[in-house]
Amino acid sequence: MSFVNLKTWVCPSFMLHKTTRFRSSSFQIFHSFTKLPISFISIEKPKRSQLSYFSSFSISAMLTKEDTVKDKEEEEEKEKPRFNFNLYMVEKSRSVNQALNDAVSLREPHKIHEAMRYSLLAGGKRVRPVLCIAACEVVGGNESTAMAAACSIEMIHTMSLIHDDLPCMDNDDLRRGKPTNHKVFGENIAVLAGDALLAFAFEHIAVSTSGVSPERIIGAIGELAKSIGTEGLVAGQVVDINSEGLCDIGLEKLEFIHLHKTAALLEGSVVVGAILGGGCNEEVEKLRMFARYIGLMFQVVDDVLDVTKSSKELGKTAGKDLVADKVTYPKLLGIEKSNEFAQKLNRDAQEQLSGFDPVKIVPVAV
């Protein structure tokens, strides 16, 4: 994602009317980007406290003291260790990978578990599970609280990739730099591997989440289920399939596809983490909108990379959207406008993070 600064996780958007757990056509981001003045949320940064020295000091002495204090503050600021985003991602990904390896062991029936592990442990950035953990930590939870959910989310994401690569869907031969699941194990086992990962994901979050009230676990499971059903991922997939080859697909329908097909699970990842971490309703909803912007940004970025990078660079087949005659953001807007859209989505997402602990929010706001 070289053309977008992913030190923030987001991009551009239609006007948001209200926060809602449902993803629908009313969440129109690009409309304001093209036709109406963009409405930015005004975030007023807290003013740095001013030092007041109303005593017997002369003006000269006061200025000298202020300069000394300022120099000291600047010195302390330089000494503070800077947050290393890449290191954070590596460490969290390593924890997730170990937890996934432990959760899905190689056992009988050997073939199905081998197929599950083949795709589940094939690598990847682990963005969704890391976002889940980060959201949990933002509202006061910890990594162990969210780990079972993070693994469940990655299992579901992997299921979607296995199924998406099938000949009846995108018919892809390459995923994460390796042959796709059905190319190695056959279509029948690939379908079952995806099914098994989906089923086990819900079992895992239900029985392996500890230190959280049953009410919050049930709420998290409900959010996760909604994000991949007919109000989430499946809805986006269906509309995407039915739109192939059509010439009248506009920005509104394209946004619907990607808010459901891509953004929904990212949104679910963040919301689940926030719920399990003990977040209040206001915190959960602000993080929901943050994730929704991020999710759409990821798809815009993916669309651009599909036409600007090679298969080797992507780790999957490049240009497949063009071959399938799919409508994409670059196709409708061009690459330059798509990049601008992604950058605005990023800014909009960051605005949702105001009010959170500035230290805890660093992993998602960097």
Side-chain angles (χ1 to χ4, degrees):
M1 303 181 185
S2 56
F3 72 101
V4 168
N5 178 10
L6 285 184
K7 281 196 168 183
T8 55
W9 294 71
V10 203
C11 312
S13 50
F14 288 2
M15 301 296 289
L16 298 179
H17 300 297
K18 60 181 180 179
T19 300
T20 170
R21 69 181 289 176
F22 301 109
R23 291 155 291 277
S24 68
S25 57
S26 64
F27 183 84
Q28 295 180 331
I29 293 177
F30 196 79
H31 182 66
S32 64
F33 186 63
T34 54
K35 298 181 181 179
L36 300 175
I38 297 173
S39 177
F40 291 101
I41 301 173
S42 177
I43 304 296
E44 193 173 312
K45 295 183 178 179
K47 295 179 180 178
R48 192 173 182 175
S49 58
Q50 301 296 316
L51 297 176
S52 300
Y53 303 97
F54 297 99
S55 63
S56 60
F57 289 115
S58 66
I59 295 295
S60 175
M62 185 172 71
L63 289 175
T64 300
K65 186 171 184 179
E66 284 181 335
D67 289 341
T68 302
V69 171
K70 184 177 180 182
D71 290 342
K72 186 177 180 181
E73 288 178 344
E74 290 177 350
E75 189 73 25
E76 290 175 350
E77 189 67 28
K78 289 179 181 178
E79 291 176 358
K80 288 181 181 178
R82 292 184 179 277
F83 178 78
N84 190 322
F85 177 76
N86 291 332
L87 180 61
Y88 179 87
M89 286 296 298
V90 168
E91 291 178 344
K92 293 300 183 185
S93 296
R94 186 182 295 122
S95 296
V96 170
N97 288 335
Q98 183 59 56
L100 287 170
N101 182 68
D102 295 341
V104 184
S105 59
L106 193 57
R107 58 187 186 274
E108 293 294 338
H110 189 275
K111 180 63 71 175
I112 189 65
H113 288 99
E114 184 183 358
M116 292 165 68
R117 287 170 59 85
Y118 175 81
S119 293
L120 187 63
L121 304 178
K125 296 177 290 295
R126 307 304 192 200
V127 169
R128 292 157 189 82
V130 173
L131 275 172
C132 178
I133 293 169
C136 180
E137 293 174 340
V138 162
V139 297
N142 53 56
E143 180 182 299
S144 61
T145 300
M147 186 55 75
C151 289
S152 296
I153 288 164
E154 189 64 16
M155 292 175 200
I156 290 172
H157 176 55
T158 301
M159 172 278 297
S160 73
L161 299 182
I162 294 173
H163 286 178
D164 202 41
D165 291 336
L166 290 168
C168 63
M169 298 287 280
D170 280 0
N171 192 26
D172 216 329
D173 297 339
L174 194 65
R175 174 68 66 178
R176 291 172 173 169
K178 299 172 65 176
T180 48
N181 198 288
H182 68 274
K183 285 293 181 180
V184 177
F185 298 95
E187 292 179 38
N188 50 1
I189 295 298
V191 170
L192 293 173
D195 293 346
L197 284 169
L198 178 60
F200 185 60
F202 287 99
E203 176 188 341
H204 191 61
I205 189 175
V207 305
S208 299
T209 302
S210 60
V212 181
S213 69
E215 291 77 14
R216 284 190 175 271
I217 294 176
I218 291 171
I221 291 173
E223 284 284 349
L224 191 53
K226 185 178 290 292
S227 73
I228 60 174
T230 55
E231 292 184 27
L233 187 151
V234 169
Q237 285 278 26
V238 169
V239 177
D240 189 28
I241 291 170
N242 291 337
S243 300
E244 287 184 17
L246 300 181
C247 58
D248 60 344
I249 305 300
L251 285 171
E252 186 172 347
K253 180 169 283 190
L254 181 62
E255 185 179 280
F256 177 93
I257 291 170
H258 294 319
L259 280 174
H260 292 74
K261 182 179 176 181
T262 303
L265 185 54
L266 271 164
E267 178 182 325
S269 303
V270 170
V271 171
V272 164
I275 291 173
L276 295 177
C280 66
N281 289 340
E282 182 182 358
E283 290 173 325
V284 170
E285 293 309 315
K286 289 188 75 172
L287 288 171
R288 182 192 300 280
M289 295 309 300
F290 164 78
R292 198 173 293 184
Y293 280 121
I294 286 177
L296 189 57
M297 180 200 74
F298 265 63
Q299 186 58 56
V300 177
V301 170
D302 192 63
D303 280 359
V304 173
L305 293 179
D306 188 64
V307 295
T308 59
K309 299 294 182 180
S310 67
S311 297
K312 183 178 180 180
E313 290 173 304
L314 295 176
K316 59 182 180 179
T317 306
K320 62 179 182 180
D321 291 339
L322 187 63
V323 173
D325 197 25
K326 285 188 176 183
V327 175
T328 64
Y329 282 100
K331 187 173 182 178
L332 292 180
L333 305 176
I335 292 176
E336 183 178 351
K337 285 292 184 182
S338 295
N339 286 344
E340 291 175 9
F341 184 36
Q343 291 160 5
K344 183 194 180 303
L345 284 173
N346 201 341
R347 294 192 298 270
D348 290 345
Q350 297 310 305
E351 290 178 347
Q352 302 302 315
L353 301 179
S354 64
F356 287 99
D357 185 320
V359 175
K360 292 180 179 179
I361 205 66
V362 166
V364 291
V366 168

